Structures are given as C-alpha cells and as structure tokens.
Amino acid sequence: MAPVGRPRSDASHAAILKATYELLREEGLARLTLDKVASRAGASRSTLYRWWPSRGAIAMEATLDMLNQELSLEPKGDNALAEFRRLLKSVARAMRGSTGPIMAGILAECQRDPETLRLFKENLVAPRRAEVVPLLERGIQDGSIRPSVAPHTILDLTFGAIYHQLLLHVPTDDAWMDGVIDILVNGIAAKPTA
Amino acid sequence: MAPVGRPRSDASHAAILKATYELLREEGLARLTLDKVASRAGASRSTLYRWWPSRGAIAMEATLDMLNQELSLEPKGDNALAEFRRLLKSVARAMRGSTGPIMAGILAECQRDPETLRLFKENLVAPRRAEVVPLLERGIQDGSIRPSVAPHTILDLTFGAIYHQLLLHVPTDDAWMDGVIDILVNGIAAKPTA
DNA sequence: ACGAAACGATCCAACTTGTATCGAAACTTG
DNA sequence: CAAGTTTCGATACAAGTTGGATCGTTTCGT
C-alpha cells in the first residue's frame, strides 16, 4: 500500500542534512540554529520540526553518516590486540580533524538533552561496542589479552582518554596515542601486582 | 590605596554564589539562567553582569569551592601507587553524587564558551595535575610505577575514563573503578610486550 | 557636603524555540 | 479527471533568554 498524499521530498531531506553538516563544520553545534539550517537548505523551519524532534536529532543524523564513513573496522588477520591498536589509532586520527569538535559538540548537547544522549548511545556507542567487544574477546581467547579484564572496561578507558582530550581541546598526535596504548597494554606497575 | 566608592557587597557576592550552587544542584547548568540566579539571590541581573563575564564563569566559581572541599589529597605514607589508587576512588566517589552532573554540565559549557574552558583548565585541571604529577613521579622513583610511562598520560587515561562515564550518564560503582585501576596498573596484555 | 562606585529595579532590542496557520504543490484513489 | 490526503515553503505568534542600557538610591572615602 503506497502512502497517500504528497511524498516526503528527498531533495529537501538531503539538502537539510547537507546544510547541517556544513554548518556543523563551520560554526559547531553550539551555534547551530534551526533557522540557519532551514535558510541554507532552502527549506522552511516547519519542515525541520515535522521530521526531527530537536536540534540534537538533526545534528546526530547529519553526523552519523560522516562518522560511519570515516571510521571503518577492517580486520586484517593480525592478532586481536594488534587489530585493536590499529582501531584506536584510526579513531584518534579521525578526532584530530574537523570531526573532533563536532563530536565534542554532540557530547555537550547530550548533557542538556536526554533524547540526544539516547540517540548517541543507541546509534553510535552501542553499535561500535558491538563490533569491538567481540574483537577483545577474541584477544582473550587467542592469548594476546589476559582473561581477567572486562572488554567493556577497556573501552571505557580508551574512548574515555580520547574524549578527554577532545573535551579539553588538547591536540593529540601519534606519540600521545602510542603512550596511551602502551599504558593500556602494559600497565603502569613496575612489576605485575596481580 | 583604598578603592574609591561603594565597596562590593560581600553579601550579594555570597548570595549569588549560594543561589548558583543551589540551582546547579536542582536543575543543572543547562537550565541555569542568570535571571533565576539573580531572583534567588535577591540581586539584579546587572550586578551579575558587572562581575562575571558569562554564565560559565559564575557556575565555575560556585563549583570550585565545593569541589575543592570534596576532593582532598591526603598523603598517608603508602607507596605512591597505593596512594594514587585511593585518589582515583575518591574522585569517582565524588562524581557519583550530585557533583557528577554539575561537572558534566560544566564540561558541556566548555564546548560552547572558550572562556569557560580556559577557567576550567586553569582553576581545576592544572592545579589538580600539579598535585598528582609529582605523586606519580614519586611512584616512578620508589619503584611502584615503571619508568617509561608519562605521568600526564596516566592522568589523561584515568580522568578520561571517569569523564566518559559521566558524560554518557553511566553510573559507576566501586567494582567498575577497581576494574579500571586493575587495567591501568597491570595492563591488558597477557604477557608483557615491552 | 561631595564625588565615586555599586546596588536593585526596570526597560529594551535581538535572537531562538516551539507551535500554529495558510495557500500551493504533489501524489493516490475512485 | 476530480476528490482527498499529505507535504511543502512562507509567515506569524507567544514565550523565554541574552546582553546591554538607564535611572534613582545606597554606601563608601575625601
């Protein structure tokens, strides 16, 4: 059964997302208003309100595609720990570009709008974790990662470190990421204390 | 040289900070308006604008005292690593209470107002690090922490993990913090990989 | 007494949000 | 082709927030 009535304009939909994406890069989510998005997209604000419940929701949808293109997990047959290293570096690299400030803005928006936080966790955090946790579990099985650690806690630490630099606007480089990975892999204790 | 004119009212100053602090607890920084602060403090908005450049600055000043009271680094003569463990747990415990959401709100505000970020780093991050980095360096000297790690990177990781849970509104408990510390201290590698 | 600075009260323009209304356009069904 | 349905862009509106300004009053030092 085809829906009755005028169909949703794909052109408007695409134009709105494109305008949002551009404005996010230029001014950040903090200064993003639905008015500017509508103007640039050649749409009207009522169209935006019809399809998205909040500013955060628009920004989220506009950002997701970009992120999903930028971050890709390609297994290469190394041991799991080596693969995890590569993943972390690629994430840190992505955050170093214009994507970083956008992510920081979204995290900020999540603090003022619970719905945006929900979208963020559902559409970004959860899917990513669903990919990476099995990788870490494989590392525990192939012997490259010791068994007593919880994969989710590993992710809390690593993404936490990256978010930390992001939110405090501390630029990162490969040397920093190597330092983080070194600590994560080897720990800070002079001798194993377990 | 005593300043000429009517001196700044300590009563107003204190009342404004108190009102800010209360409103932060009740509604969070996202919903904090200078109007509400002024009303509750029995002051006028012009007084607020006279002394503080932004909403973030007021929230920062109101939060700093509270945080500085809540978090105290008391050396107890253990080895440095043990002392660091205690510090982390006390921070995590503080973030578990009503201070946590306030901190998350401030981090969010930092993303939209560079001046607030500057205040945050100058008055909170930097002083804390100035306390803890020597502790970690002592750990390297007393042999409880291996020499090749950078103290600052350790802090990026640990505070990153705590911020991560804070921003994603994931409640933490002692078991989680123990898991983080375990990974941090011992690493995730099954065998030391140098 | 006088000037200087801070105070509370009030007003104002500009901007953003959320909602609503309107006629025109696009598409399905009969 | 005609009627019904839904979206579209344009516009208007109330409510809330921001940042700044003015005004008369209050509290100091000189």
Side-chain angles (χ1 to χ4, degrees):
Chain A
M1 272 257 254
V4 176
R6 178 176 178 171
R8 177 174 186 178
S9 163
D10 284 339
S12 267
H13 185 248
I16 288 170
L17 289 184
K18 181 164 177 289
T20 304
Y21 170 76
E22 290 172 2
L23 286 168
L24 281 178
R25 292 207 154 210
E26 293 169 16
E27 305 182 341
L29 182 94
R31 269 175 265 286
L32 184 76
T33 69
L34 298 184
D35 216 2
K36 290 189 217 166
V37 173
S39 295
R40 180 172 301 207
S44 75
R45 285 196 313 121
S46 39
T47 303
L48 273 68
Y49 278 110
R50 187 189 314 275
W51 297 108
W52 289 277
S54 67
R55 173 181 56 172
I58 298 182
M60 193 73 64
E61 186 169 338
T63 308
L64 277 180
D65 303 337
M66 172 182 50
L67 271 179
N68 286 331
Q69 287 174 2
E70 212 164 350
L71 300 178
S72 60
L73 178 64
E74 313 142 5
K76 288 188 180 165
D78 290 333
N79 79 26
L81 186 51
E83 197 165 320
F84 186 55
R85 279 180 197 264
R86 272 210 319 280
L87 171 69
L88 286 188
K89 289 202 176 189
S90 83
V91 172
R93 209 175 306 125
M95 294 306 160
R96 222 171 288 156
S98 61
T99 309
I102 296 180
M103 282 289 296
I106 290 184
L107 278 170
E109 184 73 12
C110 288
Q111 305 311 306
R112 62 168 42 208
D113 179 13
E115 182 61 14
T116 302
L117 176 60
R118 193 185 63 77
L119 289 173
F120 183 75
K121 289 164 89 169
E122 267 187 29
N123 298 314
L124 221 115
V125 178
R128 290 286 157 195
R129 293 214 166 202
E131 283 178 351
V132 183
V133 165
L135 169 65
L136 294 174
E137 284 169 345
R138 210 184 77 210
I140 294 176
Q141 286 179 345
D142 73 16
S144 58
I145 298 177
R146 65 187 169 88
S148 61
V149 302
H152 272 289
T153 307
I154 297 178
L155 295 179
D156 293 341
L157 264 164
T158 53
F159 283 93
I162 293 173
Y163 287 178
H164 182 264
Q165 306 302 93
L166 216 52
L167 292 167
L168 265 51
H169 296 195
V170 179
T172 66
D173 54 18
D174 283 328
W176 174 83
M177 196 71 236
D178 282 329
V180 168
I181 294 177
D182 170 54
I183 290 177
L184 185 74
V185 169
N186 296 318
I188 65 173
K191 308 169 188 176
T193 62
Chain B
M1 274 255 257
V4 176
R6 177 176 178 173
R8 177 174 184 178
S9 162
D10 285 339
S12 268
H13 185 248
I16 288 171
L17 289 184
K18 181 163 177 289
T20 304
Y21 169 77
E22 289 172 3
L23 286 168
L24 281 178
R25 292 207 154 212
E26 292 170 15
E27 305 182 341
L29 191 135
R31 268 176 264 286
L32 184 76
T33 68
L34 297 185
D35 216 2
K36 290 188 216 163
V37 173
S39 296
R40 181 172 300 207
S44 75
R45 287 195 311 120
S46 37
T47 303
L48 274 69
Y49 278 111
R50 190 191 316 274
W51 297 108
W52 291 277
S54 67
R55 175 180 53 173
I58 298 182
M60 192 74 64
E61 186 168 338
T63 307
L64 277 180
D65 303 337
M66 172 182 51
L67 272 179
N68 286 331
Q69 288 175 2
E70 211 164 349
L71 300 177
S72 60
L73 179 63
E74 313 143 3
K76 289 189 180 163
D78 290 334
N79 78 26
L81 185 52
E83 197 165 319
F84 185 55
R85 278 179 196 264
R86 272 210 318 279
L87 171 69
L88 285 189
K89 289 203 174 187
S90 84
V91 172
R93 210 174 307 125
M95 294 306 160
R96 223 171 287 156
S98 60
T99 309
I102 296 180
M103 283 290 296
I106 290 183
L107 278 170
E109 185 73 12
C110 288
Q111 304 312 307
R112 62 168 40 208
D113 179 13
E115 182 61 16
T116 302
L117 175 60
R118 193 185 63 77
L119 289 174
F120 183 75
K121 288 164 89 169
E122 267 187 28
N123 298 315
L124 219 113
V125 179
R128 290 286 156 195
R129 293 213 166 203
E131 284 178 351
V132 183
V133 165
L135 168 65
L136 294 174
E137 285 168 344
R138 211 184 76 209
I140 293 177
Q141 285 180 344
D142 73 16
S144 58
I145 298 177
R146 65 187 169 88
S148 61
V149 301
H152 272 288
T153 306
I154 297 178
L155 294 179
D156 294 341
L157 262 164
T158 53
F159 282 94
I162 292 173
Y163 287 177
H164 181 264
Q165 307 301 94
L166 215 51
L167 292 168
L168 265 51
H169 296 195
V170 179
T172 67
D173 55 18
D174 283 328
W176 175 82
M177 196 71 236
D178 282 331
V180 168
I181 294 177
D182 169 54
I183 290 176
L184 185 73
V185 170
N186 298 318
I188 66 174
K191 307 171 190 177
T193 60

